[in-house]
Amino acid sequence: MSQNRSRVSIQVTILGANSALPFHGRFPSAQVLRSGNFKCLIDCGEGTQLRLSQENIKRNKIQVVFISHLHGDHVYGLPGLLTSYNHFERREPILIVGPKGVRDMITQIFELSRVHLNYELSFREISKGEAIPTVFSDGQLSVRAFPLIHRLPTWGYRFDHNPALYNVRPESIEQYNLTIEEIVRVKNGQPVERSGSTVPHDHLAFPLPPSLSYAYCSDTIYTESILPYIKGVDLLYHEATYQEALVEKAHETKHATAMEAARMAKLADVKRLLLGHFSSRYKTLQGHLDEARPIFPETYIAEEGTTWEIG
Ligand SMILES: [Zn+2]
Ligand SMILES: [Zn+2]
């Protein structure tokens, strides 16, 4: 039988992975995640619009922006981006997901600047104490938020792509003379009968592709409290602001080191680890890799302009 030709994947493009400042050709935090027709931003630091243009990514198609916390290096690009949509005559609604306060921050800026948007802007604020809320779902992709430990209320996000429908084998339509109703049944995993017996479902449809997962953890101190939420993901982005010589500073400022991120990846049994949120004191990032890889070999640097494919 032929192979399943419909390919599902999640792609994460790094727009910025520096902490605090744009420096050394690196930019504050922002990523684009795409899966099928779905496109979202994860964090929106200063310069995100410029970075979208540089990477030739159409900003109008972004449906949701997930904000981890309200430090400027994760959110100061958002008012500019949302205002620019007016110039691009956006009509589609956009959803902002983030910690409590993100709505006030944006609406007060718009009030003071007397900005009136031509499209619908809605917010899903996450409050402390909410039990692992599912903050977005479109039937195939679901996004859950989980608490990180930082100087402000901060949320990590886990993206899971769970294929909902089977793909019907084209040759089976003719072979079994499937009706439209039966095709819908096969897509939903339900049985079809011929001559009084059930046709094995794998004769009619390809197996469901595996589920895919991505977790974003920035900014946070090293904390094993996040393990249940990131367990086994295909790709983990974990902040690694410092190298190990500055572990004390990392703890004081509620950030993590490259070695700590690697320890977390190993404990959580993830497939690949992306390090990010680098302090501007590091001109190059080889030192981060050298410290992390002995603990977790599948460690990579979230370099600006790179795209990471899952699936
Ligand atoms: Zn930050
Ligand atoms: Zn921060």
Side-chain angles (χ1 to χ4, degrees), residues 68-74 150-152 154 218-220 239 253-255 277:
S68 61
H69 65 303
L70 298 183
H71 276 153
D73 55 327
H74 299 256
H150 190 45
R151 308 195 301 278
L152 286 180
T154 303
S218 188
D219 301 351
T220 189
E239 77 129 278
T253 54
K254 293 204 166 59
H255 284 298
H277 199 266

Side-chain angles (χ1 to χ4, degrees), residues 206-218:
F206 297 105
L208 278 180
S211 59
L212 309 170
S213 50
Y214 174 61
Y216 178 84
C217 300
S218 188

Side-chain angles (χ1 to χ4, degrees), residues 3-11 35-37 140 161 163 167 206 209-210 212 272 308-311:
Q3 291 296 300
N4 185 353
R5 278 161 292 167
S6 78
R7 194 158 163 275
V8 181
S9 71
I10 295 177
Q11 294 125 33
S35 177
N37 291 326
Q140 296 218 330
H161 184 281
N167 286 313
F206 297 105
L212 309 170
R272 285 184 296 173
W308 301 84
E309 184 137 357
I310 304 161

Side-chain angles (χ1 to χ4, degrees), residues 11-306:
Q11 294 125 33
V12 178
T13 299
I14 309 299
L15 300 177
N18 211 40
S19 71
L21 311 165
F23 214 57
H24 306 306
R26 306 196 298 257
F27 294 85
S29 295
Q31 306 184 352
V32 176
L33 180 144
R34 282 171 280 202
S35 177
N37 291 326
F38 178 75
K39 190 194 275 190
C40 68
L41 271 176
I42 309 169
D43 277 337
C44 190
E46 181 192 342
T48 297
Q49 288 195 78
L50 173 70
R51 294 288 302 122
L52 284 165
S53 307
Q54 288 171 339
E55 301 297 334
N56 281 320
I57 297 172
K58 288 202 172 65
R59 70 191 93 188
N60 251 353
K61 300 284 181 199
I62 290 164
Q63 293 152 262
V64 187
V65 184
F66 296 91
I67 298 291
S68 61
H69 65 303
L70 298 183
H71 276 153
D73 55 327
H74 299 256
V75 73
Y76 282 178
L78 190 54
L81 176 72
L82 295 175
T83 311
S84 289
Y85 281 141
N86 265 357
H87 300 289
F88 289 99
E89 302 197 349
R90 183 184 178 114
R91 291 289 179 268
E92 298 78 25
I94 190 163
L95 170 67
I96 312 298
V97 178
K100 199 160 170 40
V102 69
R103 179 200 300 262
D104 275 358
M105 179 186 255
I106 298 301
T107 52
Q108 284 182 22
I109 289 171
F110 287 171
E111 250 172 61
L112 291 166
S113 304
R114 298 193 185 169
V115 169
H116 299 284
L117 300 177
N118 299 326
Y119 58 92
E120 187 192 330
L121 174 65
S122 57
F123 293 88
R124 166 66 167 94
E125 291 190 315
I126 317 161
S127 300
K128 247 187 159 174
E130 274 191 78
I132 336 167
T134 297
V135 289
F136 178 83
S137 175
D138 71 357
Q140 296 218 330
L141 189 83
S142 67
V143 187
R144 282 174 292 169
F146 53 91
L148 300 173
I149 299 179
H150 190 45
R151 308 195 301 278
L152 286 180
T154 303
W155 296 92
Y157 294 102
R158 175 176 172 143
F159 299 77
D160 283 283
H161 184 281
N162 295 304
L165 296 176
Y166 287 87
N167 286 313
V168 179
R169 295 181 184 276
E171 67 272 17
S172 74
I173 297 175
E174 201 177 326
Q175 189 184 342
Y176 292 95
N177 203 14
L178 295 177
T179 63
I180 300 289
E181 289 76 19
E182 285 173 332
I183 290 173
V184 173
R185 289 180 65 79
V186 173
K187 278 180 170 290
N188 285 294
Q190 294 163 336
V192 165
E193 302 220 332
R194 282 292 176 272
S195 319
S197 56
T198 303
V199 181
H201 193 265
D202 63 348
H203 287 196
L204 301 172
F206 297 105
L208 278 180
S211 59
L212 309 170
S213 50
Y214 174 61
Y216 178 84
C217 300
S218 188
D219 301 351
T220 189
I221 198 168
Y222 175 88
T223 171
E224 291 175 14
S225 64
I226 64 173
L227 275 175
Y229 312 122
I230 62 171
K231 195 86 188 152
V233 292
D234 293 304
L235 182 65
L236 168 67
Y237 177 91
H238 194 288
E239 77 129 278
T241 309
Y242 297 108
Q243 293 176 9
E244 206 56 23
L246 292 177
V247 67
E248 292 304 319
K249 189 172 176 64
H251 294 171
E252 272 164 34
T253 54
K254 293 204 166 59
H255 284 298
T257 65
M259 281 175 80
E260 288 174 330
R263 246 175 256 140
M264 186 59 60
K266 190 176 177 188
L267 272 178
D269 199 21
V270 308
K271 293 210 179 83
R272 285 184 296 173
L273 169 66
L274 264 185
L275 300 178
H277 199 266
F278 306 109
S279 164
S280 295
R281 74 185 59 233
Y282 305 107
K283 194 169 177 199
T284 65
L285 303 166
Q286 186 59 41
H288 282 68
L289 274 186
D290 292 344
E291 291 191 351
R293 279 193 169 156
I295 298 166
F296 191 77
E298 284 296 309
T299 301
Y300 303 90
I301 296 292
E303 227 175 282
E304 274 76 359
T306 55

